[in-house]
Amino acid sequence: MKKLLLIIMVFAALTGFKSSSTRIVYGTVFSADDKIPLPGVTVMVKGTGIGIQTDSKGKYSLNVPDGKIYLTFAFIGYQTQTVNIGGKSKVDVALKGSSTQLNEVVVTGYAAQKRKEVAASVAIVKGQAVNSAAGMRLTLRGNRTLNANYMYAPAPVQDNESYKGITENAFTNAASTPLSTFSVDVDAASYSNVRRFINNGQLPPADAVRVEEMINYFNYNLTGPTDGGPVAIHTELSSAPWNTSHRLLRIGLKAKTIPTNNLPASNLVFLIDVSGSMDSPNKLPLVQSSLKMLVDQLRPQDKVALVVYAGAAGVVLPSTPGDKKETIKNAIDNLSAGGSTAGGEGIKLAYKIAAESFVKTGNNRIILATDGDFNVGASSDDDMEKLIEKKRESGIFLSVLGYGMGNYKDSKMETLADKGNGNYAYIDNITEARKTLVTEFGGTLFTVAKDVKLQIEFNPAKVQAYRLLGYENRILNKEDFNDDKKDAGDMGSGHTVTAFYEIVPAGIKDDYMVSVDPLKYQKVKESKADLNPSAEMMTIKFRYKEPVSSVSKLSQAVVYDKPVGFNSTSVDFKFASAVAEVGMLLRDSKFKQKASYAHAIATARAGKGEDTEGYRAEFIRLAESAKLLSKSAALAKVNEEE
C-alpha cells in the first residue's frame, strides 16, 4: 500500500510539473501619422527583460512567456504604448507622435544612491521612452518638474566601451602634397553600432562614428566591370552641399558578382566567445541565431568547424560538410556562456583547425563572434596581431562579428579584422545578421580583389586643397601604393565602395587655406588657376591583386572639371552625401561648415530611390532621431552651465 501511495505521489508530481513555455508574437509597428513603418522601435515584454527592436521594415517577432499579456512599444519622438495582446499572435501597433516639443525640455538626472547630479544627453518628450534611472526628474521651462518614474526606460548603454581615437583628415594643399593614398574599406560596423546608440536614446561617442563605414553600409547602383577585371571605377562631381563654393567628388568602386553556385568551396571555422560576458540576450543567443542563418547558405562542398573559448579553448564540432545542417545547428544550439575569457588560445586553435582542412583554391576563413572583451592569455595583443598577420599570408583570413553593448570593445575587433584581411560587422539585431550573412553572403565571405589601394593625383591648377572624408585609419604613405608587400583592404563578390573628397577649387578664397612663409632654400612653382573646364582635375589610380596572386595590377581613370548641379546628381550621390553630412554632425566635425540635420534629412529623402530593403528609410528615421537628441544634448549643456 505504501509503495502504491508513493507511486501515485511521484506520478502526481511528475504530471503536475510543467516547464515554462513561450509563444511567438509578431507584427508591424508604424507611424499613426503617415502609416510609414518604424525601424528601431523597442518592443519589451512588460515586467521582464525580454525585448527586441523592429527591423528596417518595422517588423518584430518576440518569444513571449506564457502568462504575459502586455507588450510595451517605445521609440524616440513617439508616445510609448503598452498593449494588451491577450491571446493574439499578430499584433500591429500604430505609434502616435509626441505632442510635446523636444526643445522645450531639459533633462536632469540624479543617481538614487549617490545623489550625484549627472547630465543626460537624451531626448525626452511626453510619453516617450528615455534612458533614465528611477527618480529622474524632468526640468521644463519655468523650472516646473515632472516625475518620470512612470516612463518606460530602456537600459542605458554603459560607459566602459572602447573606441580607437580618430583625428579627422584635414584639408591638404594640392600644390605641396598632390598625392592622396589610402586603402579601401568595406566594413560597415560603425553604422549599425551608431544605430544601436540612437535607438537606445543616446548620441554615440564621436570616435564610434567612422564616416566611411556609415556611407558604405548601403548598397549603391553601380555597374560591375566589363573589361574582365574584378572591379570597376565610377566618378561623379558636384558641389558640396554643406559649402556650395567647394566641390564634392564621389569615387565609386563595384566588384564583380560571382553567382553563389560558382563560388569556390569554403573552409570555415566558427570561433565563438562563450565567456561570461556573452551571457545576455543580445550576445550569445543572437550569435547562435546569426550563425544558423549562415549555415543555411552553405553547400555540400563547404565545410564548417566550431571552436569555442572561455577559460580554455576547445573544439565543439570538427570540420563538417555543409549539407549536414542539422548536426551543425545542434552544435550551435548547445553552446552556453560562462567563465573567464582567453581569446588568444581560441584564435590559435581556430587557425590550427582551419589549416588542417585547408582548401587550396577555396575560401579559408575564421569567423570570430565576440563582444571583444577578452584577454589573450599568455600572449600580448601585439603577439596575437602578428600571428594573424602571419596566418593571412598562408591564405587563412579572419572576419569579425561584434555583438552586445556596455563592455563592447570596438577598437580591438576592428584591429583584428584589419590584420586578418577580413570584414568587420556589428550585429545589433537579427535583421542585421540576415543582411550581413545572407543578403550579402558573397561579399562578406568571398574575396575577388585583395590589397585594394587608391592613389589620387590632384592637378594644382584646378585644385587648391582637398580633404578625404573618413578613412582616417586607412591612410597610406605615397610609397605604399606601389609596394606589393603593403597590406590593404579587400573587396568581396558584389561589394560596392564609396569615397568622398571635398575639394577647394583653385582661385577660391577659403578659411581652410592657411599660407606659410616662402621657403628659403627651394623654390616652389606657383600654379595659376586653369579655368578650362576640359582640363584634367585629377587622375585616380587603382591597384589590386587577384585573390591568389602576390603581384598587383594597375588601372586608372581621369576626372575632368565638369561638375553637375547638385539637383542633377544621381540618387546615390545625394543619399551618400547625406550620410556623410550626418556623420560629420554626429562627430561634431570642425569641417561640418553649414551642415545641418534638416538639410541632410531633406537630401536623404531626395536620394531614397526605390529602397526595396527599407534601409534608406531607416537611415532617415535615425537622422530625425539624432536631430532630436542633438537638440536635447544642447539644452542639457546650457542647463548644466546655468
Side-chain angles (χ1 to χ4, degrees):
M1 185 67 183
K2 290 182 178 179
K3 289 184 177 179
L4 179 61
L5 181 60
L6 179 62
I7 292 172
I8 293 173
M9 292 173 65
V10 172
F11 177 76
L14 290 174
T15 55
F17 175 77
K18 182 163 58 176
S19 61
S20 61
S21 59
T22 62
R23 61 190 175 102
I24 296 177
V25 177
Y26 65 95
T28 302
V29 184
F30 54 91
S31 169
D33 299 326
D34 52 19
K35 309 302 180 186
I36 295 177
L38 296 175
V41 176
T42 300
V43 185
M44 296 289 294
V45 180
K46 188 176 181 180
T48 74
I50 300 171
I52 198 171
Q53 289 181 336
T54 55
D55 65 16
S56 61
K57 296 182 180 180
K59 297 183 181 298
Y60 72 94
S61 179
L62 192 63
N63 288 321
V64 179
D66 284 349
K68 299 294 182 181
I69 59 172
Y70 291 100
L71 296 183
T72 301
F73 298 80
F75 191 52
I76 297 169
Y78 291 82
Q79 296 180 22
T80 297
Q81 288 190 33
T82 298
V83 178
N84 186 335
I85 61 175
K88 293 183 288 186
S89 296
K90 183 179 181 182
V91 179
D92 295 333
V93 175
L95 293 184
K96 296 180 180 179
S98 171
S99 59
T100 301
Q101 292 298 317
L102 182 70
N103 60 10
E104 293 181 354
V105 184
V106 179
V107 184
T108 308
Y110 294 92
Q113 294 179 342
K114 296 182 179 180
R115 305 295 297 173
K116 179 181 178 182
E117 186 170 343
V118 295
S121 61
V122 294
I124 308 297
V125 293
K126 184 178 179 181
Q128 174 55 41
V130 298
N131 282 329
S132 62
M136 174 173 281
R137 74 176 188 181
L138 305 187
T139 303
L140 288 81
R141 288 183 178 177
N143 291 325
R144 290 178 293 119
T145 61
L146 174 67
N147 192 331
N149 288 337
Y150 72 95
M151 292 184 174
Y152 166 71
V157 178
Q158 298 178 26
D159 60 359
N160 59 342
E161 301 188 1
S162 67
Y163 298 93
K164 187 184 299 182
I166 296 175
T167 301
E168 279 189 292
N169 295 325
F171 280 95
T172 302
N173 189 309
S176 58
T177 311
L179 293 177
S180 174
T181 310
F182 68 100
S183 162
V184 303
D185 184 9
V186 295
D187 293 341
S190 179
Y191 177 81
S192 48
N193 191 30
V194 165
R195 176 177 62 199
R196 183 253 302 188
F197 274 100
I198 295 174
N199 282 339
N200 278 282
Q202 291 181 308
L203 290 173
D207 289 332
V209 182
R210 294 187 286 274
V211 174
E212 76 280 5
E213 293 187 19
M214 292 186 65
I215 295 169
N216 287 318
Y217 178 85
F218 302 92
N219 289 320
Y220 300 104
N221 186 26
L222 299 173
T223 56
T226 57
D227 58 358
V231 180
I233 306 176
H234 301 268
T235 61
E236 196 169 2
L237 182 66
S238 185
S239 58
W242 45 84
N243 185 339
T244 54
S245 65
H246 289 183
R247 302 266 200 270
L248 188 64
L249 171 72
R250 177 191 176 211
I251 301 174
L253 304 179
K254 172 69 175 180
K256 66 180 179 182
T257 301
I258 303 176
T260 302
N261 292 337
N262 297 338
L263 291 170
S266 287
N267 165 37
L268 303 177
V269 178
F270 293 162
L271 176 57
I272 313 301
D273 180 354
V274 293
S275 63
S277 68
M278 293 290 287
D279 189 17
S280 66
N282 62 352
K283 292 187 180 182
L284 185 57
L286 185 54
V287 170
Q288 292 168 308
S289 299
S290 304
L291 295 182
K292 286 191 289 185
M293 287 195 297
L294 176 56
V295 169
D296 287 334
Q297 310 305 307
L298 300 179
R299 306 158 299 175
Q301 62 266 39
D302 301 322
K303 294 181 292 184
V304 173
L306 185 59
V307 174
V308 299
Y309 64 91
V315 179
V316 172
L317 181 74
S319 191
T320 302
D323 57 353
K324 304 292 185 182
K325 300 188 188 306
E326 186 175 351
T327 300
I328 300 170
K329 289 183 178 181
N330 285 340
I332 294 172
D333 282 335
N334 289 332
L335 299 177
S336 60
S340 59
T341 319
E345 292 304 313
I347 289 176
K348 291 177 183 177
L349 180 57
Y351 275 116
K352 179 176 179 293
I353 299 300
E356 290 173 354
S357 300
F358 190 83
V359 179
K360 190 173 183 180
T361 58
N363 171 40
N364 299 277
R365 189 177 298 267
I366 295 168
I367 299 176
L368 169 61
T370 179
D371 58 10
D373 189 14
F374 59 80
N375 61 69
V376 295
S379 302
S380 67
D381 283 357
D382 287 342
D383 289 339
M384 185 166 60
E385 291 172 14
K386 289 177 182 176
L387 170 68
I388 293 171
E389 288 178 333
K390 181 179 179 182
K391 292 298 183 181
R392 79 179 179 216
E393 299 301 325
S394 69
I396 302 174
F397 296 164
L398 173 70
S399 290
V400 180
L401 304 178
Y403 293 82
M405 56 190 284
N407 62 333
Y408 188 64
K409 308 302 179 188
D410 173 86
S411 53
K412 181 172 288 187
M413 289 186 283
E414 183 191 17
T415 299
L416 294 181
D418 288 348
K419 300 293 184 183
N421 269 17
N423 312 97
Y424 168 37
Y426 175 72
I427 310 297
D428 58 336
N429 56 47
I430 198 65
T431 304
E432 184 62 26
R434 184 179 296 108
K435 177 180 185 291
T436 302
L437 300 176
V438 178
T439 307
E440 299 174 0
F441 174 70
T444 300
L445 297 182
F446 296 91
T447 300
V448 299
K450 67 178 183 179
D451 292 340
V452 181
K453 308 170 190 173
L454 285 170
Q455 186 170 77
I456 292 82
E457 180 181 357
F458 292 93
N459 178 4
K462 302 296 295 182
V463 176
Q464 185 178 184
Y466 60 87
R467 187 176 91 86
L468 175 62
L469 276 62
Y471 293 91
E472 283 85 2
N473 60 356
R474 298 282 181 162
I475 299 298
L476 300 174
N477 296 323
K478 59 185 179 182
E479 298 83 6
D480 294 335
F481 184 71
N482 292 327
D483 184 359
D484 283 350
K485 295 180 181 179
K486 185 66 177 180
D487 180 57
D490 301 335
M491 293 188 68
S493 172
H495 260 152
T496 61
V497 172
T498 289
F500 277 119
Y501 276 95
E502 184 175 352
I503 295 168
V504 181
I508 297 293
K509 291 184 179 180
D510 196 277
D511 293 338
Y512 292 107
M513 290 303 300
V514 180
S515 62
V516 297
D517 292 336
L519 298 177
K520 181 178 180 180
Y521 299 109
Q522 60 190 75
K523 294 182 179 180
V524 178
K525 183 180 179 181
E526 292 187 7
S527 298
K528 294 183 179 180
D530 186 349
L531 302 181
N532 179 7
S534 64
E536 295 182 3
M537 195 173 199
M538 70 197 71
T539 297
I540 302 171
K541 296 180 181 178
F542 169 71
R543 192 175 286 280
Y544 66 92
K545 297 174 188 171
E546 300 284 353
V548 295
S549 175
S550 59
V551 179
S552 66
K553 296 181 179 180
L554 175 68
S555 62
Q556 60 184 33
V558 174
V559 177
Y560 295 91
D561 187 18
K562 294 182 178 181
V564 299
F566 190 82
N567 291 336
S568 300
T569 59
S570 66
V571 292
D572 283 348
F573 187 99
K574 293 183 180 73
F575 185 81
S577 69
V579 177
E581 188 169 0
V582 169
M584 288 192 291
L585 290 166
L586 289 173
R587 287 193 54 80
D588 193 22
S589 168
K590 65 180 181 180
F591 304 107
K592 64 180 184 289
Q593 300 164 78
K594 295 181 180 179
S596 70
Y597 282 107
H599 181 271
I601 291 167
T603 304
R605 286 182 177 139
K608 182 180 175 183
E610 293 183 5
D611 193 30
T612 55
E613 296 292 328
Y615 293 115
R616 296 191 181 192
E618 178 191 52
F619 169 77
I620 294 170
R621 291 289 183 184
L622 285 177
E624 290 171 339
S625 297
K627 178 183 177 182
L628 300 180
L629 289 167
S630 66
K631 287 183 179 180
S632 177
L635 286 168
K637 184 177 180 180
V638 170
N639 189 55
E640 191 178 31
E641 291 173 351
E642 292 176 351

